[in-house]
Amino acid sequence: MKNQFVHDLPFGASLLPSGATRFRFWAPVQKHVSLEIDGAAPLSMKSVDGGWFEAEAPCAAGARYRYRLENGVAVPDPGSRGQVEDVHGASLVFDPRGYDWRHPDWRGRPWHETVLYELHAGAFGGFAGVQAALPVLAELGVTAVELMPINDFPGHRNWGYDGVLPFAPDRSYGTPDELKALIDAAHGLGLMMFLDVVYNHFGPDGNYLSAYAPAFFRDDIATPWGAAIDFRRPEVRRYFTENALYWLQEYRFDGLRFDAVHAISEAEWLDEMAAEVRRSVEPGRHVHLVLEHDGNVADHLRRDFDAQWNDDAHHVLHAMLTGEKDGYYADYADRPSERLARALSEGFVYQGDPSAYRKGEARGTPSSDLPPTSFILFLQNHDQIGNRPFGDRLTSQVDPDRLEAAIALQLLCPHVPMIFMGEEQAATSPFLYFTDHTGDLADAVREGRRREFAGFEGFAPGEGTSSIPDPNEPETFERSRLVPDARHGAARQRLYRELLNIRREALTPRLEGARSLGSSAVEPSTVVARWRLGDGTTLVVASNLGRDSAQIEQVQGNLLFESRPGAVDSVRGGRIAGATTVALLVPAP
């Protein structure tokens, strides 16, 4: 349906009913700005209050334009809906009303039905490639696809976190209408679409904001990626709030994942933005907001955010499965079962506890009052694979039986599960860190990557920092495309399909109102966790991720799943074999 889904941006290029286009540009340190449209004479923009410049021009969709600053530099529009080629080039006037939606009545799905699948659009061949994969994901039991950031970045290959034009889908993935077609197709299959957005920094190449709006950034705070964005300024707050609304309203994304919000110094803006999203979304539509927050701040989850990536749960599961103690895994290496039990029953492991990795600094806030669906549970994601020196997956680190026991625990507990692309195929192909920088920046990224792992203890014989793949080499990206495991891929898919079917039929209808009844731990590798579900039944999951059997309390109930034949009989008798997960449902009294 045309003309229905448009978000009227208060800046950038907006088509007018008259057939002209209005341009608005914030450049508070400029005295004069010219609008340059291909094929037309430069047009001086009118200066208005607050550092804004405005102009109207007789041009239509498809017009190419730039803003010319006082020093002669031509810059793209920071509100660009799309670029002609790349981040340094001309912006395009787009008609957001041009796409004919096939499923305009889609209203989304409730949060408790969510099974996330995170993927990189480029590794799938762009928006069209992702669209082609949707039927397989829907058949598997996935209910929501999450795209890593897609906003325009320099070059043709990038994770997306180096983006500099937050409103423009990157041309290497496809056009804005092809992105809308992807989302539309997902809705036709009953799938939600989520987008990862980055509001804590801009990439190092192609960000011109400091040339005409230096007030966009703080000079007293730095992030790991550069100068902090100044969310004290109303123009900055509005810019990013508009971005969230834009993706949700104009593109009909069903949810947003906000990257590394602990790097946003004005945390109250998050709640301000989320509240506006809730007010703006049409009644009856399900829209979901998800955080990544290294500080484990739970208060946002008591307001308008649905959930948070639970890094704590990932870290302890990874430490249990691999035995790794490097970096932040050191905080989870001791008493791992106890820490996993806390994650399953209370959400965060660190709730104000001192972190040895952070030199004794307290981390986190209490989270035990929150429902289990406030936490997203994953065994892998883009960071936890790609930020390893060689991008290796758990399939190359953990034996299949133990990994499959962990998969069963993940998919059959009430936390919201997230699958990283390829897990369901037992993929062995790495997911590497890749960029497409050139010149001095390419050298800096490559050498910085090697310095980052100079103290890494996990190198195999003959490996070292010089062996780490160069992020800028095209081969690094090509190696990150999915390669299903020839030996275990088909069986792993059957396992995922079985577990997700059990989740859909037996657990999802009961998840609303679910609450933890506590978890018990048997060191070093076994937990028994219980939840009272919304209809009064009790879910019990017993999981032993080690190799040796363990004595546990006797567990009763109707079998939902056992990862090895006959395991439920042992569990009912008070013992669980290694590499085993058993899930049972106890009827309401």
Side-chain angles (χ1 to χ4, degrees), residues 180-196:
K180 290 178 181 178
L182 162 60
I183 297 165
D184 205 6
H187 293 168
L189 292 168
L191 290 169
M192 296 183 283
M193 288 294 299
F194 284 59
L195 178 63
D196 193 345

Side-chain angles (χ1 to χ4, degrees), residues 131-190:
Q131 183 174 336
L134 293 180
V136 175
L137 296 177
E139 192 272 337
L140 186 72
V142 167
T143 66
V145 174
E146 179 179 315
L147 302 180
M148 290 173 63
I150 59 171
N151 55 295
D152 214 345
F153 51 77
H156 300 284
R157 306 176 302 277
N158 199 285
W159 273 16
Y161 300 92
D162 285 337
V164 293
L165 295 172
F167 295 83
D170 195 274
R171 294 284 293 186
S172 65
Y173 299 157
T175 67
D177 280 359
E178 287 173 327
L179 174 57
K180 290 178 181 178
L182 162 60
I183 297 165
D184 205 6
H187 293 168
L189 292 168

Side-chain angles (χ1 to χ4, degrees), residues 61-78:
R64 304 178 177 202
Y65 70 99
R66 298 183 187 188
Y67 300 119
R68 182 75 61 177
L69 305 181
E70 290 174 333
N71 63 1
V73 173
V75 299
D77 188 347

Side-chain angles (χ1 to χ4, degrees), residues 202-543:
F202 289 90
D205 182 19
N207 174 25
Y208 293 92
L209 277 163
S210 59
Y212 53 81
F216 214 94
F217 303 96
R218 299 186 65 153
D219 57 10
D220 58 337
I221 297 177
T223 74
W225 313 284
I229 295 170
D230 193 351
F231 278 89
R232 297 171 301 181
R233 296 203 58 108
E235 297 88 351
V236 173
R237 289 181 179 237
R238 194 72 245 156
Y239 182 77
F240 288 109
T241 298
E242 291 290 345
N243 188 257
L245 294 170
Y246 166 78
W247 291 120
L248 294 170
Q249 294 180 337
E250 192 161 301
Y251 280 86
R252 309 299 288 169
F253 276 102
D254 300 282
L256 300 175
R257 180 261 189 188
F258 299 88
D259 177 67
V261 299
H262 51 271
I264 296 175
S265 56
E266 285 66 48
E268 73 279 1
W269 171 78
L270 292 167
D271 295 314
E272 171 190 305
M273 175 271 300
E276 183 164 350
V277 166
R278 299 300 180 197
R279 290 193 302 268
S280 302
V281 169
E282 59 266 37
R285 182 180 169 206
H286 296 283
V287 163
H288 307 300
L289 305 177
V290 173
L291 294 172
E292 181 198 24
H293 196 311
D294 186 61
N296 282 5
V297 175
D299 281 350
H300 300 299
L301 304 178
R302 300 185 181 97
R303 298 188 179 101
D304 290 310
F305 288 90
D306 294 273
Q308 180 171 313
W309 279 23
N310 195 347
D311 285 337
D312 276 0
H314 166 271
H315 295 348
V316 68
L317 283 164
H318 187 92
M320 291 174 73
L321 290 168
T322 67
E324 290 186 8
K325 300 178 181 179
D326 283 345
Y328 43 66
Y329 293 127
D331 274 348
Y332 305 87
D334 66 309
R335 311 190 318 278
S337 289
E338 181 182 324
R339 298 184 187 279
L340 178 58
R342 191 179 199 193
L344 293 173
S345 61
E346 300 182 22
F348 299 140
V349 174
Y350 283 83
Q351 302 180 32
D353 307 86
S355 159
Y357 171 68
R358 293 169 171 81
K359 300 183 173 27
E361 176 185 344
R363 173 170 174 258
T365 60
S367 59
S368 61
D369 63 301
L370 294 168
T373 51
S374 293
F375 304 94
I376 294 177
L377 182 60
F378 47 90
L379 298 176
Q380 300 179 90
N381 63 31
H382 71 273
D383 271 330
Q384 305 304 337
I385 301 174
N387 282 331
R388 299 174 65 81
F390 302 102
D392 48 321
R393 297 168 175 263
L394 287 177
T395 46
S396 62
Q397 304 170 64
V398 183
D399 63 82
D401 289 346
R402 294 175 62 228
L403 181 53
E404 290 179 358
I407 292 167
L409 170 64
Q410 176 202 14
L411 299 186
L412 296 182
C413 84
H415 295 215
V416 170
M418 186 177 75
I419 303 161
F420 183 69
M421 62 179 200
E423 285 188 88
E424 81 287 3
Q425 302 173 7
T428 55
S429 50
F431 185 74
L432 298 161
Y433 179 69
F434 48 82
T435 58
D436 191 14
H437 298 309
T438 58
D440 291 343
L441 181 56
D443 294 339
V445 169
R446 179 178 58 253
E447 295 310 313
R449 185 79 174 162
R450 291 172 178 173
R451 284 195 304 273
E452 180 181 354
F453 294 105
F456 183 70
E457 298 178 359
F459 289 116
E463 291 180 343
T465 55
S466 61
S467 305
I468 296 173
D470 183 346
N472 297 291
E473 286 293 329
E475 181 189 5
T476 303
F477 168 70
E478 293 299 330
R479 289 178 58 200
S480 299
R481 295 184 186 272
L482 284 179
V483 179
D485 183 75
R487 181 179 178 188
H488 298 290
R492 188 64 53 81
Q493 280 188 306
R494 288 194 294 271
L495 174 65
Y496 271 88
R497 191 175 294 112
E498 177 186 3
L499 291 169
L500 290 176
N501 182 65
I502 293 170
R503 183 180 184 91
R504 179 178 62 251
E505 298 297 327
L507 299 183
T508 299
R510 299 178 164 101
L511 285 182
E512 287 190 290
R515 291 287 172 179
S516 173
L517 295 175
S519 302
S520 58
V522 178
E523 295 296 350
S525 57
T526 301
V527 294
V528 179
R530 290 179 168 82
W531 296 269
R532 178 65 49 81
L533 303 182
D535 66 347
T537 58
T538 298
L539 171 67
V540 184
V541 179
S543 188

